[in-house]
Amino acid sequence: MSRHATLRVALDPDRVGELLGADVRVTRLRHKPGQYTVAALADATGPTGWLRLTPHQDRAARDAERAARVGRRVEVVEADGLVLVHGDLWTDPRLARVLHRAADLVDASVVVRHNPLRRLVLRRGTTQIRVTTKAQPDVHRLVPALAEESLAAAPRGRASSRVTRWEWVPGESLDAISGRGDLGARRAGEIAGGLLARLHQVSVPAGAHERLPQRAGWDDGALRATARGLAEVDAELGARAAGLVDRLPAAPVGAPVLLHGDWSSDQLVVGEHGARMIDLDRAGSGPALRDLASYLAVEALRTGDPEGAGAAGLRTGYEEGGGSWPGDAAVRSASAAALLSRAKEPLRRAEPTWRDGVGRTLGLAEELLR
C-alpha cells in the first residue's frame, strides 16, 4: 500500500462524504506518510468533528480508548484497506481530556475554529475560549503593562495553562475589510504597523523576556523539517524548498521585544473601539523582525506581491508609531523565511490543487531571495 493512501482519501471530498454518510468537507489535515492522516471536518454550519485514516488497527483502537475514557465514543469503519475513525469535536484525540476537564466552561459554547490535534477556539457570549494541546504563555501576568495599553483582547481567566478565556472583541478583522471603500492594502498596512509598533514598545519587566517563549528571527531547523515534509509527498517541491532554506543567511539576533507571534491582518479587529489585536496565545520574546515578516508573508500570499502597497504601508505605520524598521535585506530574508514556514499550508488546508499553492509560495520566497 502507498505511504500516501490515507492522504489520497482525505483529499477526495466525495469519498470522505461517502465513507461518513454525511455532507461534510475536510477543512484542515495533518499527514504522516505510512502512519495516518488526521483531518478536521465541517458542514454548512461550521466545524463538526474529526477523522483519522490509518492502515493500523492499533492506532484506531487507541483513539476509541481515549474517547471512552471521557465517556464518549467514536465510529470505526474499514474501507479501501484502511481504518477510518471519526468522532465529534469533544473526542479529538489530543484535546478530549483537556475538554473533559473544562466541561463546565466549554459546554454550550459556539465552535469558531478547529485545528485537529492542536487547538479549538470557542465563543460563549462575550468570551472567547482557547483550548490547546500546548501550554499558552501567561503573557498578561508576565507583562502587566500590556493590559494598560489596551492593545489587545483582555484576558478573562485561565482554567489551566491550556484552557484560557479572553474578551471577545467586536468588529471585523482587518483582512475582511481591507479593500472596502478607501481602506486599501496600504492603509491596512499602516494600521497594522502602527499597532504592532505599540506592542513592540510595551515595557517588559526585568527577567520576563526569559520567561516568555523564545522566538528567533526564524527557525532554521523548523524550516528544514518543513522541506523534508514536503519532500515526503513531492520530491521536487521538497528539493526546491530545501534549496531556498540553504540560501537564507543566519537568522539575525536583535534586542528582544514582546512579540505577537502570528501577526497578520486577520489577527487585528477593527470596530467602534478602534483597532485591537487578538490571539496572543503564540506571544513570545524575540526580534521585532519576526512579527514584521509574518505580516509581510501573509500579505504576499494574499496579493501575490511580496513588496507591494501593503508592505509599504506596514513600514510607514510601524515607523510613525515609533518602531525602528530593520534593514531592507534583513526584512526580505525574514519574509522569505516566513513564507517557507507556510509552504505546507495549501496541503494542510486540503486544497485539491495544493501542489500549485505550494509552488506559488516557494515562488514568492524565491523572488525575495534574488
Side-chain angles (χ1 to χ4, degrees):
M1 178 180 292
S2 165
R3 298 174 71 242
H4 306 302
T6 59
L7 178 62
R8 280 197 293 271
V9 175
L11 290 172
D12 182 342
D14 293 335
R15 186 61 177 143
V16 169
E18 180 183 352
L19 290 171
L20 297 180
D23 185 13
V24 295
R25 68 188 188 282
V26 169
T27 58
R28 194 157 185 88
L29 60 78
R30 295 184 178 276
H31 175 58
K32 288 201 171 183
Q35 298 184 45
Y36 62 78
T37 300
V38 172
L41 300 171
D43 62 14
T45 67
T48 60
W50 63 279
L51 68 78
R52 188 196 300 269
L53 287 152
T54 177
H56 306 296
Q57 289 276 0
D58 59 339
R59 188 174 288 277
R62 288 199 297 272
D63 286 339
E65 289 168 5
R66 288 191 183 102
R69 288 191 202 114
V70 295
R72 295 184 178 267
R73 63 187 299 272
V74 294
E75 299 293 329
V76 180
V77 179
E78 293 188 36
D80 303 335
L82 301 169
V83 185
L84 182 151
V85 188
H86 65 99
D88 61 25
L89 294 164
W90 318 111
T91 62
D92 179 303
R94 298 270 181 86
L95 294 171
R97 185 173 295 182
V98 182
L99 289 165
H100 180 67
R101 290 172 176 168
D104 59 331
L105 178 62
V106 302
D107 281 353
S109 297
V110 176
V111 179
V112 178
R113 249 181 346 267
H114 177 222
N115 188 350
L117 310 184
R118 292 294 185 273
R119 70 182 61 228
L120 185 65
V121 180
L122 307 158
R123 179 181 178 183
R124 190 172 183 178
T126 59
T127 298
Q128 183 192 81
I129 304 165
R130 303 183 69 82
V131 184
T132 57
T133 55
K134 293 184 178 179
Q136 302 170 40
D138 196 354
V139 62
H140 282 80
R141 181 179 62 80
L142 292 171
V143 188
L146 181 59
E148 298 169 10
E149 293 291 336
S150 299
L151 286 170
R156 289 185 170 172
R158 297 164 68 87
S160 72
S161 65
R162 295 189 287 173
V163 181
T164 60
R165 290 172 293 178
W166 301 82
E167 168 195 11
W168 181 270
V169 180
E172 293 185 271
S173 74
L174 184 63
D175 177 63
I177 64 176
S178 180
R180 289 188 200 164
D182 60 356
L183 186 61
R186 184 181 182 97
R187 179 57 189 147
E190 290 173 356
I191 294 170
L195 195 62
L196 187 64
R198 290 176 59 199
L199 176 70
H200 289 174
Q201 293 172 81
V202 167
S203 176
V204 178
H209 274 298
E210 292 75 16
R211 297 173 65 188
L212 288 164
Q214 300 299 296
R215 315 287 190 203
W218 58 83
D219 186 337
D220 184 80
L223 295 180
R224 294 189 184 281
T226 295
R228 289 194 299 271
L230 278 174
E232 289 181 325
V233 291
D234 189 296
E236 183 179 342
L237 289 173
R240 189 175 165 195
L244 289 168
V245 176
D246 287 340
R247 289 166 58 184
L248 288 170
V253 178
V257 300
L258 178 61
L259 295 174
H260 178 277
D262 189 30
W263 191 235
S264 66
S265 56
D266 64 358
Q267 301 292 309
L268 191 161
V269 174
V270 179
E272 294 180 359
H273 51 72
R276 294 171 70 193
M277 58 181 62
I278 59 173
D279 298 356
L280 281 168
D281 58 307
R282 295 179 185 172
S285 173
L289 186 64
R290 182 166 181 130
D291 276 343
L292 294 168
S294 175
Y295 185 93
L296 293 172
V298 175
E299 183 70 9
L301 290 169
R302 188 177 70 85
T303 65
D305 185 352
E307 297 182 289
L314 183 73
R315 177 169 186 167
T316 297
Y318 192 72
E319 291 182 331
E320 289 183 352
S324 178
W325 189 261
D328 289 342
V331 171
R332 289 172 66 89
S333 295
S335 299
L339 282 163
L340 290 170
S341 73
R342 293 164 171 78
K344 289 180 69 176
E345 282 301 300
L347 176 60
R348 289 176 178 148
R349 290 193 298 265
E351 296 175 5
T353 57
W354 64 268
R355 285 184 172 85
D356 293 338
V358 173
R360 177 172 174 268
T361 302
L362 298 181
L364 291 167
E366 285 168 342
E367 187 175 338
L368 287 165
L369 291 175
R370 285 185 187 135

